[in-house]
Amino acid sequence: MLPDLSTELTARLRGAFLNAGYDADGVVDVLGPQAHAALGRGEPEAARRASRDAGELGTLIRLFLLGAAEEPAAVAKALGDLAVADAVEAGLLTAAGDRVRAGLDVRPYGDDAGSWWVVADLDSDQRGGPVPADHVLGVGHASISLARATSRRPVDTLLDLGTGCGVQALHASRHARRITATDLSERALRLARATFGLNGLDVELRRGEWFGPLRDRTFDQVVCNPPFVVGPPRVDYVYRDSGLAGDDASALVVRQLPAFLNEGGVGQLLASWVHRRGEDWADRVSRWLPGNVDAWFVQRDVADPALYVGTWLRDAGVDPRSDEGRAKAGAWLDWFAENEVEGVGFGFVTLRRTDVAHPEVVCEDLRHAYDDPLGPESAAWLDRVAWLRGRSDDELLRTRFTVPGTVVLEEVSAPAEDGWEAVVRRLHRTDGPGWQHELDEVAARLLAGFRGVLPLEDLVALLAYAQDVDADALAGAAVPVVRELVRHGMVVPA
């Protein structure tokens, strides 16, 4: 049965939540940091105990966050003007003997600027078994990762392609004036509409496959969390499976998205790509691109086939040890073997539509740990690419540079006859993605002069004189190094 959360119902539910203080801060205040952390680990008992004396807010926490069956009278008090019978009829609640429990997952979710509510389907733990094929995923690791990797510069129009329950559109409401959200699933659109209604957001919703509902339209920004799971061409779950083989879903979005961007518009998405025997992953994803985009592919993880299959089976609530799990895993692993897939890469893609003759395409492996969100860095990366493209080598040599305070030079030395001898010199950016570049002694000395006083050409001339080397040759070697460091924000124009 499709849920039917009308505008009137969501308005009443919003009022109940506001009256009870059922928001991100309110939940943490009631539960406390330890019980809240335990709940995040899937351990609900501490949260249940903490919520017992919290009145209406405690009832809502147990009902929607813990999956508990509650007394109808307590639920009626917590829902205020929203009748329990109406909530059951809409699919928000469901009868459980003489009690009621949640029929949907409705939970607070927030960022630094405030709190929202997200409406989604109950996960496999709350259901007590595998999710159905039309399951609408709630706030998951993938959606949070994409939100953190998305640029938040103000735009007029934004498209959330494959909105699901509406998480990316919620984040977009902080910086986009007009938002359009699409999905193939009618169930997803109904839950997204409820999410937007609860949060008082005006979002245009369109139903259709991929970019089909958007012909002849372009946007300043597009965000997309596509069904990127890699494997045989089948659809077990609409939230993750596209029906396309291998990484064709990611390839389709990368290939088609630029046509729906305004000039200078930016697209950002999660994507997966296969690592096939004898093929470089960067060559593979670069072939997906049309010719009119700057592109930055960031690989955050690579999973071996067995780990990949097991992870996605458990994600849907399927026990890999069951008959169903073994059958699905077998077919999946057979497909990987037949297609010579040695691993599956996962990461973020940033695209910018441009009319330049030679767009910038960079594929980087950033599997190391770092804390800073990638969104601000993706916007700055595009800025730096544009700045570099507009400067010839001669202009670069006439530029004065500085090294940001977040960049440090690390040296590793080994014992030598005359004391210690440096064997590794590494420039390390301590913020953003934590880029590192190894340098030789000459490059390290050159960067020591980047204090915003002398242009690069003068620093090269001074160093060439000190080292007794040809200045033109040193300049020729220095320019590509400086360009790379500028692109990674490790050196900036003064």
Side-chain angles (χ1 to χ4, degrees):
M1 180 181 103
L2 288 174
D4 186 16
L5 278 64
S6 66
T7 301
E8 181 183 0
L9 186 145
T10 54
R12 291 174 183 268
L13 186 61
R14 175 185 172 88
F17 288 170
L18 290 173
N19 288 335
Y22 183 62
D23 57 25
D25 290 339
V27 170
V28 174
D29 288 344
V30 165
L31 299 185
Q34 294 182 351
H36 188 261
L39 182 60
R41 297 192 301 268
E43 303 164 8
E45 181 57 22
R48 185 188 68 80
R49 290 168 179 261
S51 69
R52 285 184 299 196
D53 299 321
E56 288 84 359
L57 178 54
T59 299
L60 294 173
I61 288 173
R62 292 190 300 277
L63 186 67
F64 289 115
L65 300 186
L66 307 186
E70 295 289 303
E71 295 283 352
V75 174
K77 186 176 181 182
L79 293 184
D81 292 338
L82 175 57
V84 171
D86 291 341
V88 171
E89 183 179 0
L92 177 66
L93 303 177
T94 185
D98 60 351
R99 297 191 171 207
V100 293
R101 65 171 69 245
L104 295 170
D105 185 303
V106 186
R107 64 183 58 225
Y109 168 67
D111 62 5
D112 292 340
S115 181
W116 300 294
W117 298 281
V118 175
V119 184
D121 278 326
L122 302 175
D123 64 22
S124 59
D125 289 339
Q126 293 170 309
R127 294 176 59 86
V131 300
D134 63 349
H135 177 73
V136 178
L137 197 66
V139 181
H141 292 302
S143 55
I144 293 173
S145 295
L146 178 58
R148 284 172 55 84
T150 299
S151 169
R152 299 294 167 201
R153 292 181 176 177
V155 295
D156 183 45
T157 56
L158 181 143
L159 167 65
D160 177 9
L161 183 71
T163 190
C165 65
V167 173
Q168 303 309 318
L170 289 179
H171 284 280
S173 68
R174 302 287 195 218
H175 72 283
R177 192 171 71 85
R178 292 178 292 165
I179 303 169
T180 299
T182 70
D183 209 287
L184 175 64
S185 164
E186 174 62 26
R187 185 178 187 87
L189 289 177
R190 290 198 179 202
L191 296 185
R193 185 176 290 111
T195 293
F196 302 144
L198 267 179
N199 294 287
L201 297 178
D202 181 15
V203 176
E204 177 192 19
L205 288 168
R206 292 196 170 198
R207 184 182 181 190
E209 187 175 27
W210 300 115
F211 294 93
L214 303 161
R215 302 201 182 279
D216 301 321
R217 293 186 62 180
T218 55
F219 302 85
D220 297 324
Q221 188 173 10
V222 176
V223 294
C224 180
N225 182 5
F228 55 72
V229 171
V230 172
R234 69 186 189 208
V235 179
D236 291 339
Y237 306 100
V238 294
Y239 74 89
R240 72 174 204 195
D241 302 321
S242 66
L244 302 175
D247 51 17
D248 284 354
S250 295
L252 182 151
V253 177
V254 170
R255 189 175 295 118
Q256 295 187 8
L257 188 153
F260 295 87
L261 289 173
N262 294 322
E263 180 65 27
V266 175
Q268 296 180 287
L269 65 141
L270 292 176
S272 289
W273 39 82
V274 300
H275 283 240
R276 183 169 283 151
R277 193 173 302 121
E279 179 185 52
D280 184 84
W281 75 271
D283 290 339
R284 180 178 187 83
V285 299
S286 297
R287 290 196 297 269
W288 297 349
L289 293 166
N292 61 337
V293 289
D294 292 321
W296 185 29
F297 290 86
V298 174
Q299 182 165 257
R300 289 294 285 138
D301 193 19
V302 179
D304 67 75
L307 175 62
Y308 188 81
V309 169
T311 297
W312 282 108
L313 287 176
R314 292 186 182 90
D315 179 78
V318 177
D319 185 348
R321 299 167 297 182
S322 67
D323 290 343
E324 178 189 11
R326 291 174 63 188
K328 287 186 174 182
W332 213 331
L333 291 171
D334 285 346
W335 188 90
F336 281 145
E338 291 164 3
N339 288 274
E340 299 183 307
V341 175
E342 298 180 321
V344 180
F346 167 83
F348 308 106
V349 183
T350 297
L351 307 171
R352 174 173 58 194
R353 183 166 177 172
T354 178
D355 60 358
V356 301
H358 302 289
E360 185 84 4
V361 177
V362 176
C363 302
E364 297 189 279
D365 200 318
L366 296 179
R367 280 184 274 174
H368 59 271
Y370 57 83
D371 294 328
D372 286 359
L374 203 61
E377 191 63 33
S378 66
W381 186 92
L382 291 171
D383 288 344
R384 296 192 294 263
V385 164
W387 186 89
L388 286 167
R389 187 158 48 215
R391 268 88 183 159
S392 67
D393 289 352
D394 287 341
E395 289 173 314
L396 206 69
L397 285 166
R398 292 194 294 270
T399 302
R400 294 173 297 154
F401 292 99
T402 62
V403 177
T406 55
V407 176
V408 297
L409 180 64
E410 301 170 339
E411 292 189 348
V412 178
S413 298
E417 290 184 3
D418 297 327
W420 294 96
E421 179 181 358
V423 293
V424 175
R425 294 178 183 85
R426 183 183 299 114
L427 204 64
H428 180 197
R429 185 176 154 191
T430 58
D431 63 343
W435 274 300
Q436 298 183 18
H437 282 268
E438 291 195 9
L439 303 175
D440 59 22
E441 183 180 3
V442 174
R445 289 186 177 184
L446 179 64
L447 263 64
F450 281 22
R451 300 178 182 181
V453 177
L454 296 177
L456 177 58
E457 60 184 356
D458 288 356
L459 293 174
V460 167
L462 289 171
L463 185 58
Y465 178 79
Q467 297 288 120
D468 193 23
V469 297
D470 181 75
D472 290 339
L474 185 58
V479 165
V481 173
V482 171
R483 283 190 179 276
E484 183 73 0
L485 294 177
V486 169
R487 186 159 57 81
H488 283 164
M490 304 176 84
V491 166
V492 298

